Amino acid sequence: MISFFGKKNNEAKPAAEPEEKQGFFSRMRDAVTRTRESFSTRINDLVAMTREVDESALEDLEAALLTSDIGVQTTTEILDALRERAKRQAIDGGAELKQLLKEQLLAILEAPITQQAIPAEPPRVTFLVGVNGTGKTTTSGKLAAWLRDQNRSVLLCAADTFRAAAIEQLEVWAARSGVEMIKTRQGGDPAAVLYDAASAAKARKVDEVLVDTAGRLHTKSGLMDELEKMRRTAAKLVPGAPHEVLLVLDATTGQNGLQQARQFTQAAGVTGIVLTKLDGTAKGGIAVAIARELKLPVRFVGVGEQMGDLLEFDPAAFVDALLG
Ligand code: GDP
């Protein structure tokens, strides 16, 4: 897997300890429990009953996938690929069908993953965008702690100046994760606070600036204009910034979240997704639809409300957790 922070991160922290790895897989498995129950029960039953993979078995699989949050377009593509494969070479029973399905899902999830650009000079600037309530502020705080664990120095920028509560909430996260935060008063100019944060980070050679942005203004175009202004401000101070724009998406909104994501993707230059609230939802299949339809990599998943409840997304672990 290509890590969110590329090689440098791997050098700083070599291969995960087996125990740590074990913990990661079991946490991913726990997080998708409800998705697995709804998604794979039907598929596993079908696989167990299938001796011969004919058109009717493929239609049953199609029906099972259509009821998940993978969506019509992605399901159709997966089935087209399986039919194509069956034409070339017969699929030898349910077990092979399941294996091929896993390969398809993995290929879809891996396709949009790109090597992360680490700027030659710090800081690296990451915007967190998305509508209110998706978990943007919580994710900013968790990500700050995650980066600290990777030995990266972090500065949080409270640019959601629209909501006073967001600034206070982020302050609590900053204290918890032991990172500094730059803020302004409620209603202050988000581009101005970003300017301050980026300047401070440059002067102090901080590795990472995480910018928590507003989720809703009076009008949607107002929100997008504000993001655009922030992009320009960041780029003026730090070449190539923002290096990452992470769209925070609530997994429980399933296919509706995709529509939201499309709007942000066009206007805000989104480079990756953080899929929150994966715990407790059966709609985790949305990760596959995001990768396929938006051509965006899922970078992280939120699996709870606590500081450690953010996992770097690993397509293979996810597919294994889903289909066993
Ligand atoms: P924002 O308006 O987008 O900044 O959203 P917040 O960060 O305030 O989060 C909204 C709610 O979602 C809060 O109650 C969070 O605790 C909760 N939340 C955020 N991420 C997760 C997650 O991964 N799992 C669960 N279960 N709750 C989450």
Side-chain angles (χ1 to χ4, degrees), residues 131-139 142 160 163 169 212 276-279 302-305 309:
V131 303
N132 283 346
T134 53
K136 225 169 344 88
T137 304
T138 307
T139 301
K142 289 184 199 170
D160 182 357
R163 274 193 319 142
Q169 206 183 323
D212 182 26
T276 59
K277 310 184 196 180
L278 200 58
D279 53 306
V303 298
E305 296 183 271
D309 292 336

Short mmCIF file of all heavy atoms in Angstrom, two decimals, residues 131-139 142 160 163 169 212 276-279 302-305 309, ligand 1:
data_model
loop_
_atom_site.label_atom_id
_atom_site.label_comp_id
_atom_site.label_asym_id
_atom_site.label_seq_id
_atom_site.Cartn_x
_atom_site.Cartn_y
_atom_site.Cartn_z
N VAL A 131 -19.70 18.90 4.23
CA VAL A 131 -20.83 19.59 4.86
C VAL A 131 -20.82 19.36 6.37
O VAL A 131 -20.20 18.40 6.85
CB VAL A 131 -22.21 19.19 4.25
CG1 VAL A 131 -22.25 19.44 2.76
CG2 VAL A 131 -22.53 17.75 4.55
N ASN A 132 -21.49 20.25 7.08
CA ASN A 132 -21.53 20.14 8.54
C ASN A 132 -22.12 18.81 8.99
O ASN A 132 -23.03 18.28 8.36
CB ASN A 132 -22.41 21.26 9.12
CG ASN A 132 -21.67 22.57 9.14
OD1 ASN A 132 -20.45 22.60 8.96
ND2 ASN A 132 -22.40 23.65 9.34
N GLY A 133 -21.58 18.29 10.06
CA GLY A 133 -22.13 17.08 10.65
C GLY A 133 -21.49 15.81 10.13
O GLY A 133 -21.74 14.72 10.65
N THR A 134 -20.67 15.92 9.09
CA THR A 134 -20.06 14.70 8.54
C THR A 134 -18.91 14.21 9.42
O THR A 134 -18.53 13.04 9.34
CB THR A 134 -19.50 14.96 7.11
OG1 THR A 134 -18.64 16.09 7.17
CG2 THR A 134 -20.62 15.20 6.12
N GLY A 135 -18.38 15.10 10.26
CA GLY A 135 -17.28 14.69 11.14
C GLY A 135 -15.97 15.38 10.80
O GLY A 135 -14.89 14.88 11.12
N LYS A 136 -16.08 16.56 10.17
CA LYS A 136 -14.88 17.27 9.73
C LYS A 136 -13.96 17.67 10.88
O LYS A 136 -12.77 17.41 10.85
CB LYS A 136 -15.33 18.54 9.01
CG LYS A 136 -14.62 18.82 7.74
CD LYS A 136 -15.25 19.93 6.92
CE LYS A 136 -16.64 20.33 7.27
NZ LYS A 136 -16.76 21.35 8.30
N THR A 137 -14.57 18.30 11.88
CA THR A 137 -13.75 18.78 13.00
C THR A 137 -13.16 17.60 13.78
O THR A 137 -11.97 17.59 14.12
CB THR A 137 -14.61 19.68 13.92
OG1 THR A 137 -15.15 20.73 13.12
CG2 THR A 137 -13.79 20.27 15.04
N THR A 138 -13.98 16.60 14.01
CA THR A 138 -13.51 15.40 14.71
C THR A 138 -12.36 14.76 13.93
O THR A 138 -11.34 14.37 14.51
CB THR A 138 -14.67 14.37 14.84
OG1 THR A 138 -15.78 15.04 15.44
CG2 THR A 138 -14.28 13.18 15.66
N THR A 139 -12.53 14.68 12.62
CA THR A 139 -11.49 14.06 11.79
C THR A 139 -10.20 14.89 11.80
O THR A 139 -9.10 14.34 11.84
CB THR A 139 -11.99 13.88 10.33
OG1 THR A 139 -13.16 13.05 10.37
CG2 THR A 139 -10.95 13.22 9.45
N LYS A 142 -8.54 13.94 14.99
CA LYS A 142 -8.01 12.56 14.95
C LYS A 142 -6.79 12.49 14.03
O LYS A 142 -5.81 11.80 14.33
CB LYS A 142 -9.07 11.59 14.39
CG LYS A 142 -10.24 11.30 15.29
CD LYS A 142 -11.05 10.25 14.52
CE LYS A 142 -12.46 10.11 14.94
NZ LYS A 142 -13.22 9.27 14.00
N ASP A 160 -12.96 27.03 10.28
CA ASP A 160 -14.43 27.01 10.28
C ASP A 160 -14.86 28.11 11.25
O ASP A 160 -15.27 27.84 12.38
CB ASP A 160 -14.96 25.64 10.73
CG ASP A 160 -16.49 25.59 10.69
OD1 ASP A 160 -17.10 26.64 10.38
OD2 ASP A 160 -17.06 24.53 10.97
N ARG A 163 -18.89 28.72 12.68
CA ARG A 163 -19.50 28.12 13.89
C ARG A 163 -18.54 28.30 15.06
O ARG A 163 -17.43 27.75 15.03
CB ARG A 163 -19.66 26.61 13.67
CG ARG A 163 -20.93 26.19 12.98
CD ARG A 163 -21.15 24.70 13.10
NE ARG A 163 -19.96 23.87 12.94
CZ ARG A 163 -19.72 22.78 13.66
NH1 ARG A 163 -20.56 22.38 14.58
NH2 ARG A 163 -18.63 22.06 13.44
N GLN A 169 -14.48 23.19 19.72
CA GLN A 169 -14.33 21.73 19.58
C GLN A 169 -12.91 21.38 19.11
O GLN A 169 -12.29 20.46 19.64
CB GLN A 169 -15.34 21.28 18.53
CG GLN A 169 -15.83 19.85 18.61
CD GLN A 169 -16.76 19.60 17.42
OE1 GLN A 169 -17.52 20.47 17.01
NE2 GLN A 169 -16.68 18.41 16.86
N ASP A 212 -9.25 22.98 9.14
CA ASP A 212 -10.66 22.62 9.30
C ASP A 212 -11.50 23.74 8.70
O ASP A 212 -11.49 24.86 9.20
CB ASP A 212 -10.97 22.45 10.80
CG ASP A 212 -12.40 22.02 11.06
OD1 ASP A 212 -13.00 21.39 10.17
OD2 ASP A 212 -12.92 22.32 12.15
N THR A 276 -16.28 8.72 7.16
CA THR A 276 -16.49 8.65 8.62
C THR A 276 -17.68 7.76 8.97
O THR A 276 -18.49 7.42 8.10
CB THR A 276 -16.75 10.05 9.19
OG1 THR A 276 -17.90 10.59 8.55
CG2 THR A 276 -15.56 10.97 9.00
N LYS A 277 -17.76 7.43 10.25
CA LYS A 277 -18.91 6.71 10.83
C LYS A 277 -19.12 5.34 10.16
O LYS A 277 -20.26 4.90 9.99
CB LYS A 277 -20.18 7.57 10.76
CG LYS A 277 -19.94 8.97 11.33
CD LYS A 277 -21.19 9.81 11.38
CE LYS A 277 -20.82 11.28 11.55
NZ LYS A 277 -21.96 12.17 11.60
N LEU A 278 -18.02 4.75 9.77
CA LEU A 278 -18.09 3.41 9.17
C LEU A 278 -18.58 2.41 10.21
O LEU A 278 -19.23 1.42 9.89
CB LEU A 278 -16.70 3.02 8.66
CG LEU A 278 -16.62 1.93 7.62
CD1 LEU A 278 -17.43 2.32 6.38
CD2 LEU A 278 -15.18 1.67 7.20
N ASP A 279 -18.25 2.72 11.46
CA ASP A 279 -18.77 1.89 12.56
C ASP A 279 -20.28 2.12 12.60
O ASP A 279 -20.76 3.24 12.43
CB ASP A 279 -18.14 2.33 13.90
CG ASP A 279 -18.31 3.84 14.15
OD1 ASP A 279 -17.92 4.63 13.27
OD2 ASP A 279 -18.85 4.22 15.21
N GLY A 302 -13.18 6.68 9.39
CA GLY A 302 -13.49 6.98 10.79
C GLY A 302 -14.28 5.81 11.35
O GLY A 302 -15.26 5.38 10.75
N VAL A 303 -13.82 5.30 12.50
CA VAL A 303 -14.48 4.10 13.03
C VAL A 303 -14.96 4.31 14.47
O VAL A 303 -15.13 3.37 15.22
CB VAL A 303 -13.54 2.86 12.94
CG1 VAL A 303 -13.19 2.56 11.50
CG2 VAL A 303 -12.25 3.07 13.74
N GLY A 304 -15.18 5.56 14.85
CA GLY A 304 -15.68 5.85 16.19
C GLY A 304 -15.39 7.29 16.53
O GLY A 304 -14.88 8.05 15.71
N GLU A 305 -15.74 7.67 17.76
CA GLU A 305 -15.64 9.09 18.13
C GLU A 305 -14.38 9.44 18.90
O GLU A 305 -14.15 10.59 19.23
CB GLU A 305 -16.88 9.47 18.95
CG GLU A 305 -18.16 9.35 18.14
CD GLU A 305 -19.37 9.79 18.93
OE1 GLU A 305 -19.96 8.94 19.62
OE2 GLU A 305 -19.71 10.98 18.86
N ASP A 309 -9.71 6.53 16.71
CA ASP A 309 -10.68 5.88 15.82
C ASP A 309 -10.59 6.38 14.38
O ASP A 309 -11.60 6.72 13.75
CB ASP A 309 -12.10 6.08 16.35
CG ASP A 309 -12.33 5.33 17.64
OD1 ASP A 309 -11.62 4.34 17.89
OD2 ASP A 309 -13.23 5.73 18.41
P1 GDP B 1 -18.48 18.61 11.46
O1 GDP B 1 -19.71 19.45 11.60
O2 GDP B 1 -18.36 18.05 10.08
O3 GDP B 1 -17.23 19.27 11.91
O4 GDP B 1 -18.73 17.32 12.37
P2 GDP B 1 -18.22 16.96 13.82
O5 GDP B 1 -16.76 16.70 13.79
O6 GDP B 1 -18.72 17.97 14.79
O7 GDP B 1 -18.91 15.53 14.06
C1 GDP B 1 -20.32 15.36 14.06
C2 GDP B 1 -20.64 14.16 14.93
O8 GDP B 1 -20.18 12.96 14.32
C3 GDP B 1 -20.00 14.21 16.32
O9 GDP B 1 -20.92 13.75 17.27
C4 GDP B 1 -18.83 13.21 16.19
O10 GDP B 1 -18.48 12.62 17.42
C5 GDP B 1 -19.42 12.19 15.24
N1 GDP B 1 -18.39 11.43 14.49
C6 GDP B 1 -17.38 11.92 13.73
N2 GDP B 1 -16.65 10.91 13.18
C7 GDP B 1 -17.22 9.75 13.61
C8 GDP B 1 -16.93 8.35 13.37
O11 GDP B 1 -16.01 7.95 12.64
N3 GDP B 1 -17.75 7.44 14.00
C9 GDP B 1 -18.79 7.84 14.79
N4 GDP B 1 -19.53 6.89 15.35
N5 GDP B 1 -19.08 9.13 15.02
C10 GDP B 1 -18.32 10.08 14.44
#
